[in-house]
Amino acid sequence: MNVQKNSINLAMQGAVILTIAGLITKILSAAYRVPYQNIVGDIGFYIYQQVYPFYGMGVILATSGFPVMISKVMTDYGYGESFHIRSKIMTITFLYLTIIGVVLSATLYIFSDNIAAYMGDSNLTALIQVTSIALLVVPIISIFRGYFQFEQNMQPTAISQIIEQSIRVSVILVSSYYMVKAGYNLYEAGFGALVGSIVGSVAGLILLLIFWVRKKQHTKIRWNISAPIETWKILTSLIKYSWTIALSSLLLILIQLIDALNLYSLLIGGGMGEVLAKETKGVYDRGQPLIQLGTVVATSLALSLVPVIASAKFQNNSKLIHEKVNLSLKVCIVVGAGAATGLIAIIRPTNIMLFTNASGSNVLMILSASILFTSLCLTMFAILQGLGYTFFPALSVLIGVGAKYLANIWLIPLYGVSGAAVSTVLSYCLIAILTGLFMMVKGYSFKEKKCLVKISLALVMMYLIICVLLTVVGLFIDLDNRLNATFASFFGMVVGGSLYGWLIIKLNVFSRNELQYIPIAKKGLKKEKWGS
């Protein structure tokens, strides 16, 4: 019993470490795009964002998709087994991932001309080719991280993620700054930024190798294809998890990929000039870091409860599972809706603060609504995976991505870039609805429908107060000035966020018992208790 309890505690500690590391890397991944856009402008940002989804898929798969898959396969067949058995599992897994990596890399490289032509910009060919090289590193990084996670040793994965992202971001920004300053064109600057991304991946790989040698794993896990475990069983699980866990982790990047593939070409097809179409796509891409940051904020609190759900599932505690599923969804709705509504209210000054001007503020306002739906999707995916349902999240992603592609073709010719924004929101909404219905069928629906009225009231009050405040502030200062816009953005965020939080507490959206499970609220309760 103690062994089982220690195993659960170790797993939960590991989940916390990975959550913190994931939070840091996601913030870095979103935040660096703001100074990058400031360096290269909207056209330079368009160039980078056109190719980034290909590299981004590799990063996500090497960070969360494949390592989780490997950890689960090792748990299925290698837990409690000899290193002889584990070595074969790792060998088969390495071969499987290497084949995938080589095939994807070769396909991307060979068809780079065709992909660039389909996007409508043949100048992107060289950038796609250099991105294909990064996919070769993915299998090796994934193998190391997956095995360390299987052993509940999250430190190597966490540290390598942070170091990889930090070096990547630093090289991208420094190289882009000096290349633009030296007179290189924007495509060459984009090429340099993508090379910088590969440098970060290689740095992460080197760090994992150091951990591997220091932990003396190389003396335990060796090349082996003869151990007494059937190869087809391992391959079956790998294929299964590849199309479930790995695919569902690509939600945000696949939607970006659809826009990269056809948004620019559809704008050109609608009669827009090339330069204006590139600028328009670059302005549209400003929404990606905003969505990503908002989603990180919304999901970080909700996902902190997922290890508790997984632990309750392991203990077969049905009551606790339903309580924590309900609380996770409630936290996600409260924070996700608050972040989306708050951003919509301050989008114009925020756009000026981050990207130097107000271009595309209406489009970014539409995209901001995505924060609620992406947060719900990612939270529900994590809950379902913790409960053992891995297939449906992947299926819903495929349906949503297909819907996004078709919606782009339908809406962009009619409404331009606003149509692309609407199609993004609708796609995320569709995925959230499908996943929510699946949870209802499985008996894990959101129970507290009445609290949605209270949340809606708090949202309306927050939005109106922020709008009134910004209108008043705009009477005294020029909000088109970047410094003034920065002040207005933070002023609106602090006042609006504080009011919204106060209303959520006063309206008793959360019970006192529920607040004890929310990290920030828990600290507040401790201070309140200490003060009394």
Side-chain angles (χ1 to χ4, degrees):
M1 184 68 182
N2 287 333
V3 174
Q4 186 185 60
K5 189 175 180 180
N6 289 336
S7 177
I8 293 170
N9 289 336
L10 196 62
M12 291 185 68
Q13 289 171 12
V16 170
I17 292 171
L18 281 187
T19 299
I20 294 171
L23 187 62
I24 294 170
T25 54
K26 285 172 185 173
I27 290 173
L28 284 172
S29 177
Y32 84 90
R33 300 187 202 192
V34 174
Y36 182 78
Q37 185 274 347
N38 288 194
I39 293 168
V40 299
D42 288 324
I43 292 181
F45 197 44
Y46 144 82
I47 292 167
Y48 180 76
Q49 283 293 121
Q50 283 295 94
V51 181
Y52 173 78
F54 297 113
Y55 174 77
M57 283 192 288
V59 171
I60 293 169
L61 289 174
T63 301
S64 56
F66 285 156
V68 173
M69 176 190 79
I70 294 165
S71 176
K72 287 187 75 67
V73 172
M74 287 296 295
T75 301
D76 289 345
Y77 300 111
Y79 188 77
E81 298 291 342
S82 66
F83 284 106
H84 191 54
I85 297 285
R86 294 184 187 182
S87 292
K88 180 172 180 178
I89 297 171
M90 290 294 284
T91 301
I92 299 299
T93 303
F94 176 74
L95 289 171
Y96 173 78
L97 291 181
T98 300
I99 291 170
I100 290 178
V102 170
V103 169
L104 289 176
S105 178
T107 302
L108 198 57
Y109 189 91
I110 293 168
F111 293 100
S112 56
D113 278 333
N114 304 80
I115 295 170
Y118 186 79
M119 289 178 170
D121 189 350
S122 59
N123 292 317
L124 296 171
T125 299
L127 285 79
I128 296 172
Q129 289 174 345
V130 74
T131 302
S132 68
I133 298 171
L135 297 178
L136 297 174
V137 186
V138 171
I140 311 172
I141 291 180
S142 301
I143 282 287
F144 289 135
R145 286 176 176 164
Y147 190 80
F148 280 128
Q149 286 175 215
F150 159 69
E151 289 201 326
Q152 301 297 331
N153 182 7
M154 306 304 178
Q155 187 183 36
T157 296
I159 294 175
S160 67
Q161 283 180 17
I162 294 171
I163 295 298
E164 175 186 342
Q165 194 71 304
S166 299
I167 291 175
R168 174 176 165 258
V169 167
S170 301
V171 174
I172 286 174
L173 294 179
V174 171
S175 67
S176 300
Y177 175 79
Y178 283 105
M179 288 184 78
V180 170
K181 195 174 181 181
Y184 288 93
N185 68 48
L186 293 175
Y187 286 93
E188 290 169 331
F191 186 91
L194 291 165
V195 170
S197 297
I198 297 174
V199 171
S201 297
V202 172
L205 175 58
I206 292 171
L207 192 62
L208 286 166
L209 277 168
I210 293 170
F211 274 112
W212 187 263
V213 173
R214 281 188 176 177
K215 298 291 182 182
K216 296 184 178 179
Q217 298 290 357
H218 61 293
T219 62
K220 303 172 185 176
I221 303 298
R222 298 182 177 182
W223 188 269
N224 186 307
I225 55 173
S226 61
I229 179 173
E230 295 182 34
T231 302
W232 70 269
K233 284 186 177 180
I234 303 170
L235 284 173
T236 300
S237 291
L238 287 170
I239 293 170
K240 170 189 169 185
Y241 292 137
S242 295
W243 290 102
T244 54
I245 294 173
L247 183 60
S248 60
S249 70
L250 296 173
L251 170 64
L252 298 181
I253 206 73
L254 287 175
I255 297 295
Q256 289 184 49
L257 178 60
I258 298 301
D259 281 326
L261 289 173
N262 67 7
L263 174 51
Y264 173 74
S265 60
L266 285 170
L267 291 175
I268 293 291
M272 189 178 288
E274 289 186 8
V275 174
L276 180 58
K278 289 175 183 178
E279 289 178 349
T280 302
K281 174 62 165 58
V283 169
Y284 174 84
D285 285 330
R286 295 180 185 185
Q288 298 306 328
L290 297 177
I291 293 172
Q292 198 168 339
L293 281 172
T295 303
V296 168
V297 171
T299 56
S300 58
L301 291 174
L303 294 180
S304 66
L305 296 165
V306 172
V308 180
I309 295 170
S311 173
K313 173 72 174 177
F314 189 79
Q315 296 172 329
N316 203 25
N317 188 337
S318 179
K319 182 182 178 183
L320 185 61
I321 291 173
H322 283 85
E323 285 179 1
K324 296 304 170 277
V325 165
N326 201 70
L327 180 56
S328 292
L329 293 174
K330 190 194 293 188
V331 170
C332 180
I333 293 168
V334 167
V335 183
T341 305
L343 183 57
I344 289 170
I346 62 171
I347 194 63
R348 182 181 170 82
T350 300
N351 194 12
I352 297 170
M353 174 184 73
L354 296 176
F355 303 109
T356 74
N357 59 52
S359 297
S361 293
N362 291 336
V363 173
L364 299 184
M365 187 181 294
I366 298 170
L367 284 172
S368 298
S370 299
I371 294 172
L372 172 60
F373 301 118
T374 55
S375 302
L376 278 170
C377 290
L378 294 176
T379 299
M380 288 189 289
F381 288 178
I383 290 170
L384 288 172
Q385 288 173 5
L387 295 172
Y389 301 106
T390 58
F391 177 76
F392 193 84
L395 177 61
S396 66
V397 168
L398 284 177
I399 294 171
V401 170
K404 165 66 177 171
Y405 184 85
L406 295 174
N408 268 11
I409 293 173
W410 171 40
L411 294 173
I412 293 172
L414 293 175
Y415 305 107
V417 74
S418 295
V422 171
S423 73
T424 293
V425 176
L426 290 177
S427 301
Y428 286 132
C429 181
L430 174 62
I431 298 169
I433 290 171
L434 290 174
T435 311
L437 289 173
F438 180 79
M439 290 187 68
M440 286 177 62
V441 169
K442 295 299 178 182
Y444 298 105
S445 60
F446 183 62
K447 304 294 183 183
E448 299 181 53
K449 304 296 189 298
K450 290 182 180 178
C451 81
L452 295 178
V453 177
K454 297 178 181 179
I455 296 170
S456 299
L457 177 61
L459 291 170
V460 171
M461 290 296 295
M462 175 183 67
Y463 180 80
L464 292 175
I465 291 297
I466 292 175
C467 289
V468 169
L469 285 174
L470 290 182
T471 301
V472 172
V473 169
L475 296 175
F476 298 96
I477 60 175
D478 179 15
L479 292 183
D480 286 333
N481 175 278
R482 195 174 190 184
L483 182 62
N484 293 340
T486 301
F487 165 75
S489 297
F490 279 103
F491 181 63
M493 182 173 62
V494 171
V495 173
S498 300
L499 174 66
Y500 180 64
W502 180 79
L503 287 169
I504 291 296
I505 298 297
K506 287 298 179 182
L507 292 171
N508 295 316
V509 173
F510 297 102
S511 67
R512 193 173 184 84
N513 181 55
E514 286 176 331
L515 290 173
Q516 293 176 355
Y517 287 93
I518 305 172
I520 295 176
K522 188 177 180 181
K523 288 182 181 179
L525 287 175
K526 284 183 178 179
K527 287 180 182 179
E528 182 183 315
K529 187 176 180 181
W530 179 261
S532 61

